[in-house]
Amino acid sequence: MNNSIADIVNNDLCVGCGICVSESKSSKMIWNQYGFLVPKLDDSFNETAIKVCPFNTSPEDSVRDEDHLANIFLKDAKNIDDKIGKFENTYVGYSKANREKSSSGGLATYIFEQLLRRKIVNHIFVVKQVNGTYAYQWFNEAEHILKVSKTRYIPVTLENLFKEIDQKDGKVAVSGVACFTKAIRLKQHYKPEYKEKIPFIVGIICGGLKSSFFSDYLAQKSGIEGSYSKQEYRIKDPASNAVDYSFGAFNQENKFYQMKMKTVGDMWGTGLFKANACDFCDDVTTELADISLGDAWLDPYTKDGKGTSVIVSRTQFADQIIKEGILKKELSVTTLSLDSFKASQAGSFKHRQLGESFRLNKLKKSKSILPYKRKRMLKSIPMEFKIVQNARMTIRKASLEIWKNTQKSELFDLEILPYKKRLKRKTRWYHRIQNLRLKLGLKKL
Ligand SMILES: Cc1cc2nc3c(=O)[nH]c(=O)nc-3n(C[C@H](O)[C@H](O)[C@H](O)COP(=O)(O)OP(=O)(O)OC[C@H]3O[C@@H](n4cnc5c(N)ncnc54)[C@H](O)[C@@H]3O)c2cc1C
């Protein structure tokens, strides 16, 4: 059955990419009550609006999922893998000049700098500070590229990309997480003039989009009372390991507060403050970008607090940028085996790809609309993993409800505690049963 943008938003399946707004006369992105950006629902959307939505339930056959879109946009890629899609090569390392000021190894900053310096594009559309917070903005100063470094875990939207792109001379490169990249590809499919206009997408590997509540909570936990600005999500500790990073922000008096993320416990595996739609995204590695970049959550790289990137090149041109960077000694990057690359995102593959079928079934029972998903990803999982999935879905939803009602970190911590304990207990049981399966010679997940 055909659906509309209103169905996507009302069924909590919107990720806030904002591409549908460019297919509307008057809609714009607004904040919802759970700290996410969503399109304002009015009757101004045209019939292409739903077609460019990454969570459309009834896409046209030729572009129905990431596999079909990859066949269009990455048709020359020489390798293909079930989990990571089409690609040229996998690498690990960092950019010598950008590592210090970046989130991981500074590869995203390096690639954008190269695209601007080589005049492959004239503008980049990336996430950058504005009025103390962060939003997608236009940028074209290769010599000041570090101004656009670092990933920001706060809702941002591509709303203005297609509203403003026609006024920009020359070509444009964009950074995007998986669902945002899919939306750009869909737009390029339906409006082919944007294929040439946007010749390069830098894919940011994403474990889930966070509500603005996540930033509010972290600001309070770091000691700030009241409003905050210029928050930093990935302050590295070169003397420690890569996971041991800090959050920091300025309070109203311009005093900087900082806190190690380990003091708030696991914020990613638990799915706290995460968008519901992210539980229905099985594209772990931004399969439709020209190049995908993530954290090297992998021994020995995690031991290095300065940060290291994993890289998947998906076009020959993207691969060439990496290879030339290595030759010019601007990149300290080596090839990484496919298995090691996949190991760096193991938790995300397990949750997003293996757990998806179970979550979709739950969605079906709740009478929600169902986003179209790749059938090959839908696998059955053992009972112990279903129990963990259930607990994760519950705590995700609870975290948003509790923050909406309390907006105080102490109260939030008290109310979320039973959910955390339940999830921890169930996860412990899951690991015990999995180990038992291994001892009995049965396959582990
Ligand atoms: C919500 C989110 C979840 C993530 N989850 C994972 C994960 O599970 N596993 C993993 O390996 N990596 C994850 N990452 C990616 C990781 O945090 C790094 O961003 C990535 O490794 C690139 O690092 P870098 O040093 O190359 O980037 P940098 O050189 O620091 O540059 C970052 C680039 O990303 C752009 N950017 C900043 N914020 C956003 C945003 N919200 N959306 C799109 N572009 C943005 C900036 O403008 C800049 O161009 C996530 C990123 C985000 C935004």
Side-chain angles (χ1 to χ4, degrees):
M1 205 182 69
N2 286 341
N3 61 135
S4 64
I5 292 298
D7 293 327
I8 299 291
V9 173
N10 292 335
N11 284 277
D12 202 9
L13 288 170
C14 176
V15 276
C17 71
I19 301 289
C20 62
V21 164
S22 67
E23 296 294 339
S24 128
K25 280 200 206 82
S26 55
S27 179
K28 58 179 185 176
M29 296 302 281
I30 52 171
W31 289 97
N32 75 8
Q33 57 179 333
Y34 294 104
F36 291 106
L37 285 163
V38 292
K40 184 167 163 286
L41 295 176
D42 57 23
D43 56 11
S44 69
F45 293 96
N46 65 30
E47 61 178 23
T48 311
I50 189 64
K51 292 184 181 172
V52 295
C53 173
F55 287 87
N56 184 5
T57 67
S58 337
E60 286 180 348
D61 209 41
S62 60
V63 287
R64 65 174 184 259
D65 55 28
E66 288 77 0
D67 292 348
H68 285 74
L69 284 162
N71 284 338
I72 298 171
F73 288 94
L74 302 168
K75 58 179 185 309
D76 297 326
K78 68 174 188 279
N79 297 307
I80 185 159
D81 175 79
D82 268 6
K83 285 190 156 76
I84 75 163
K86 292 195 161 211
F87 70 104
E88 291 286 325
N89 283 306
T90 44
Y91 301 93
V92 65
Y94 57 86
S95 152
K96 291 179 187 171
N98 304 322
R99 186 188 204 189
E100 191 190 329
K101 295 269 178 344
S102 69
S103 284
S104 311
L107 259 296
T109 308
Y110 180 80
I111 301 282
F112 280 124
E113 185 183 6
Q114 290 301 311
L115 293 172
L116 286 171
R117 283 200 193 282
R118 295 171 187 221
K119 305 215 182 313
I120 304 300
V121 299
N122 309 78
H123 308 271
I124 59 176
F125 195 64
V126 288
V127 176
K128 185 173 161 290
Q129 200 211 113
V130 55
N131 301 329
T133 184
Y134 301 95
Y136 266 104
Q137 290 169 77
W138 298 99
F139 191 79
N140 59 11
E141 304 161 36
E143 61 283 11
H144 299 301
I145 197 73
L146 286 172
K147 280 189 187 168
V148 303
S149 289
K150 293 216 171 176
T151 28
R152 314 296 181 181
Y153 306 130
I154 191 161
V156 287
T157 170
L158 292 168
E159 174 181 18
N160 290 332
L161 174 60
F162 291 105
K163 278 189 186 168
E164 296 170 2
I165 195 166
D166 294 339
Q167 280 94 60
K168 297 283 163 193
D169 286 334
K171 298 185 180 182
V172 171
V174 188
S175 75
V177 293
C179 49
F180 283 38
T181 301
K182 184 178 177 190
I184 297 171
R185 293 305 192 198
L186 286 164
K187 180 88 176 187
Q188 287 178 312
H189 174 75
Y190 289 107
K191 304 276 159 88
E193 63 271 27
Y194 294 124
K195 285 187 185 170
E196 257 188 55
K197 187 82 180 172
I198 306 176
F200 204 101
I201 301 179
V202 175
I204 302 293
I205 291 179
C206 166
L209 297 173
K210 297 290 194 192
S211 150
S212 63
F213 294 176
F214 175 63
S215 303
D216 298 347
Y217 172 74
L218 295 182
Q220 283 190 21
K221 290 297 281 184
S222 68
I224 296 177
E225 287 170 20
S227 64
Y228 60 92
S229 64
K230 296 186 214 154
Q231 63 275 22
E232 289 291 333
Y233 296 89
R234 296 282 297 259
I235 304 171
K236 295 176 183 176
D237 183 349
S240 185
N241 58 54
V243 192
D244 192 20
Y245 58 87
S246 298
F247 170 89
F250 289 90
N251 74 356
Q252 274 161 307
E253 284 78 46
N254 228 16
K255 184 174 167 207
F256 194 69
Y257 287 72
Q258 185 168 331
M259 153 200 79
K260 286 269 188 191
M261 281 299 287
K262 66 184 173 203
T263 58
V264 291
D266 179 11
M267 283 279 145
W268 293 96
T270 50
L272 289 178
F273 303 116
K274 189 175 72 176
N276 180 51
C278 300
D279 266 348
F280 305 96
C281 165
D282 51 39
D283 179 354
V284 173
T285 58
T286 319
E287 293 176 35
L288 299 173
D290 290 77
I291 195 162
S292 307
L293 306 167
D295 284 293
W297 298 134
L298 188 71
D299 205 33
Y301 310 103
T302 39
K303 293 200 181 91
D304 190 341
K306 294 190 285 303
T308 310
S309 297
V310 284
I311 305 157
V312 187
S313 61
R314 299 185 188 273
T315 60
Q316 281 181 13
F317 178 60
D319 202 56
Q320 190 189 327
I321 296 181
I322 299 297
K323 285 190 171 130
E324 288 177 8
I326 297 170
L327 276 178
K328 285 191 263 171
K329 301 199 186 318
E330 291 166 354
L331 297 179
S332 175
V333 164
T334 54
T335 52
L336 181 70
S337 74
L338 178 60
D339 283 347
S340 296
F341 170 77
K342 289 197 278 191
S344 80
Q345 307 293 327
S348 201
F349 285 124
K350 223 187 242 183
H351 179 81
R352 309 254 298 284
Q353 296 186 345
L354 268 180
E356 185 176 55
S357 175
F358 172 76
R359 292 191 297 270
L360 272 176
N361 279 333
K362 275 201 76 158
L363 204 61
K364 207 186 250 170
K365 284 184 195 142
S366 73
K367 304 226 166 23
S368 167
I369 57 166
L370 301 179
Y372 184 88
K373 289 286 118 192
R374 294 180 274 193
K375 300 281 173 292
R376 67 176 183 83
M377 289 285 175
L378 305 179
K379 310 234 163 77
S380 72
I381 52 171
M383 185 51 74
E384 68 269 21
F385 197 42
K386 287 182 183 167
I387 291 169
V388 172
Q389 289 299 323
N390 239 333
R392 283 188 191 157
M393 287 175 94
T394 308
I395 193 172
R396 185 204 67 77
K397 198 164 178 207
S399 68
L400 295 167
E401 275 309 331
I402 295 172
W403 187 266
K404 179 165 82 75
N405 295 331
T406 61
Q407 303 199 10
K408 285 265 170 294
S409 62
E410 311 88 77
L411 291 175
F412 177 85
D413 285 343
L414 269 179
E415 290 191 33
I416 203 72
L417 189 62
Y419 294 90
K420 279 187 168 179
K421 281 188 174 163
R422 222 170 292 146
L423 176 59
K424 204 170 169 184
R425 206 169 47 240
K426 290 175 175 174
T427 308
R428 212 166 33 228
W429 272 108
Y430 158 76
H431 285 301
R432 280 188 192 151
I433 297 172
Q434 285 281 302
N435 286 336
L436 195 65
R437 281 184 195 278
L438 200 63
K439 276 189 194 147
L440 294 173
L442 301 167
K443 221 175 130 200
K444 235 178 127 179
L445 259 190

